[in-house]
Amino acid sequence: MRQATVYIDSSALQYNLNRVKQLAPSAKIVSMVKANAYGHGVKDCLAALKESDAFGVACLQEALEIRQLGYQQPITLIEGVFSVDEMPVVIEQNIEIVVHHQQQLDWLLAYKEAYNAKKLKVWVKLNSGMNRLGFKLEHIKDVIHRLKAEGFNCILAMHFANADADHPLNDEQIRQFLEVKNDCAPLMGSCCNSAAIYKYPELHFDFVRPGIMLYGASPFADKTIHNLDLKPVMTFTAEIIALNSIKAGESVGYGSTLTADQDMDLAIVSIGYGDGYPRAFPQQNYVAINGQTTRVIGRVAMDMIAIEVTSLNVDLGTEVELWGQTRLVDDVAEANGTIGYELLCRLTNRPRRKVL
Ligand SMILES: Cc1ncc(COP(=O)(O)O)c(C=O)c1O
């Protein structure tokens, strides 16, 4: 049987959730489990994250899956509802919504009694310069005053465009957020994703919304998970299915992109882009065997890669770590010109999954 495997370490998830608790002790934690828990498998992750105060997802279908799995915590739809017919379902299932534009506000007001009867909170989104979703500064205070007058329990919500970097927009976003929060006081607030949880302890307010840090990948380009005291949750492995040697001047794989400058021992590993292992690698990529890193050689194919094993102690069936403990997903992402988030989310369902 093909042995490509995604291991999910529940204790690492719990460790990372505890890191959020340490960093933001007075805020409630909305664990972001959208996109199948960032590709980790929502069912297994919910079990490990059950101490969260709430969950955050991108759409109703994701929220209903959480309810079907039996979890009763509050759930926030971070983009709100996509059509008015979702409103009765949301209310029936005790799901909280973001409102980020006028049409959603009208839909919410049309369901005012039922929504408020369930004491559901409304997350009112400020567009402070990211310019994706939200009401602009000059409009949002009226929206909040109106909602409060209609009896809604509001939370001011905002998302940073550059929480992972020192960017001049950060100060402007914070200025706008604080202005709205003060002018509409009393008003609950939430603006911190993983990077902002680390970077802005003074902005944790009522709810923090950690995503990537729960899964043990770094939100910062210049900080590793070791710097941040996080543990990798996913370990992605495959096995050696053939051993080969090539002589200087020979090449391996499609396109014959690498010509060996000296004799080389190769192992063929049963993993490829059909599993979600990235193909591009503008920079040299590596895998790990027993804690030791070694080069990927030539092109990644749909089902196979070649790695160098000269002077390594390997055999058929030896397990190769594509990312996980030794070879961090963030490093694989960097070599591929992307971010850990993308590699984690875009795994296919071909590798088998095992929860530890
Ligand atoms: C509104 C919102 N909050 C929080 C998060 C979590 O972000 P991160 O995974 O960087 O912690 C996201 C993720 O995209 C988001 O869209």
Side-chain angles (χ1 to χ4, degrees):
M1 187 183 155
R2 192 168 181 268
Q3 301 290 339
T5 309
V6 171
Y7 295 96
I8 300 298
D9 182 347
S10 306
S11 63
L13 255 176
Q14 283 159 355
Y15 183 89
N16 297 335
L17 178 63
N18 276 329
R19 286 290 293 136
V20 182
K21 287 189 181 156
Q22 286 168 359
L23 292 162
S26 53
K28 291 204 160 143
I29 300 175
V30 184
S31 290
M32 301 303 289
V33 294
K34 60 189 175 138
N36 198 24
Y38 288 44
H40 290 65
V42 73
K43 182 166 181 272
D44 300 319
C45 291
L46 287 171
L49 294 171
K50 62 177 185 297
E51 303 298 323
S52 308
D53 298 294
F55 297 112
V57 293
C59 60
L60 181 58
Q61 290 81 352
E62 292 180 339
L64 292 179
E65 194 177 351
I66 297 175
R67 287 286 178 256
Q68 274 148 19
L69 289 165
Y71 295 89
Q72 302 305 330
Q73 283 101 325
I75 300 175
T76 306
L77 294 188
I78 60 165
E79 294 171 28
V81 291
F82 292 80
S83 57
V84 68
D85 58 355
E86 292 184 349
M87 284 302 300
V89 188
V90 153
I91 295 165
E92 214 258 314
Q93 294 293 326
N94 293 312
I95 295 165
E96 298 179 354
I97 57 172
V98 160
V99 285
H100 60 76
H101 66 61
Q102 184 63 42
Q103 189 181 42
Q104 286 183 328
L105 187 58
D106 296 340
W107 293 341
L108 176 63
L109 289 168
Y111 281 87
K112 179 177 87 172
E113 276 81 22
Y115 197 89
N116 281 336
K118 288 287 194 88
K119 298 191 172 20
L120 297 168
K121 300 183 289 302
V122 182
W123 298 65
V124 189
K125 181 106 177 195
L126 169 67
N127 174 8
S128 54
M130 192 172 195
N131 290 321
R132 296 194 310 189
L133 305 180
F135 299 98
K136 294 223 166 151
L137 183 63
E138 53 274 22
H139 189 197
I140 194 166
K141 293 180 203 171
D142 289 343
V143 172
I144 293 169
H145 288 315
R146 166 95 196 271
L147 285 170
K148 285 174 95 173
E150 302 279 1
F152 287 97
N153 189 9
C154 298
I155 303 172
L156 177 64
M158 186 191 84
H159 199 44
F160 284 104
N162 305 280
D164 55 332
D166 288 323
H167 190 284
L169 187 57
N170 287 338
D171 286 346
E172 174 57 16
Q173 288 196 269
I174 294 169
R175 188 192 69 73
Q176 291 192 21
F177 186 83
L178 294 179
E179 180 181 320
V180 179
K181 198 163 177 319
N182 291 333
D183 288 358
C184 298
L187 180 64
M188 291 185 285
S190 173
C191 62
C192 288
N193 62 356
S194 299
I197 287 170
Y198 280 96
K199 195 164 164 177
Y200 296 119
E202 70 282 15
L203 298 180
H204 289 160
F205 297 115
D206 302 275
F207 297 89
V208 291
R209 309 188 305 262
I212 198 72
M213 67 177 290
L214 293 173
Y215 305 100
S218 175
F220 300 105
D222 60 351
K223 288 194 185 75
T224 70
I225 55 166
H226 304 305
N227 303 141
L228 301 171
D229 190 7
L230 298 171
K231 293 191 174 169
V233 171
M234 182 188 293
T235 300
F236 185 24
T237 68
E239 281 190 2
I240 292 175
I241 56 166
L243 293 165
N244 255 326
S245 304
I246 56 173
K247 298 214 173 312
E250 290 184 330
S251 57
V252 59
Y254 288 123
S256 304
T257 50
L258 177 126
T259 304
D261 51 13
Q262 53 190 12
D263 295 358
M264 194 188 275
D265 293 331
L266 296 178
I268 307 301
V269 184
S270 60
I271 203 73
Y273 58 79
D275 303 278
Y277 190 71
R279 178 181 180 276
F281 295 128
Q283 296 166 37
Q284 176 63 54
N285 188 28
Y286 298 86
V287 296
I289 298 175
N290 294 326
Q292 204 175 343
T293 52
T294 189
R295 293 193 292 167
V296 176
I297 300 289
R299 280 203 183 142
V300 172
M302 190 183 294
D303 319 305
M304 277 178 266
I305 60 171
I307 60 172
E308 179 166 14
V309 292
T310 314
S311 73
L312 285 182
N313 184 14
V314 295
D315 211 336
L316 295 179
T318 296
E319 191 172 66
V320 176
E321 180 191 282
L322 307 159
W323 62 68
Q325 310 298 315
T326 305
R327 183 71 180 145
L328 299 179
V329 68
D330 295 316
D331 296 334
V332 180
E334 192 189 353
N336 196 52
T338 184
I339 50 177
Y341 298 71
E342 187 190 2
L343 293 189
L344 296 168
C345 285
R346 78 178 196 196
L347 280 175
T348 70
N349 57 16
R350 186 156 72 158
R352 63 186 178 166
R353 303 219 163 211
K354 287 195 173 179
V355 181
L356 304 173

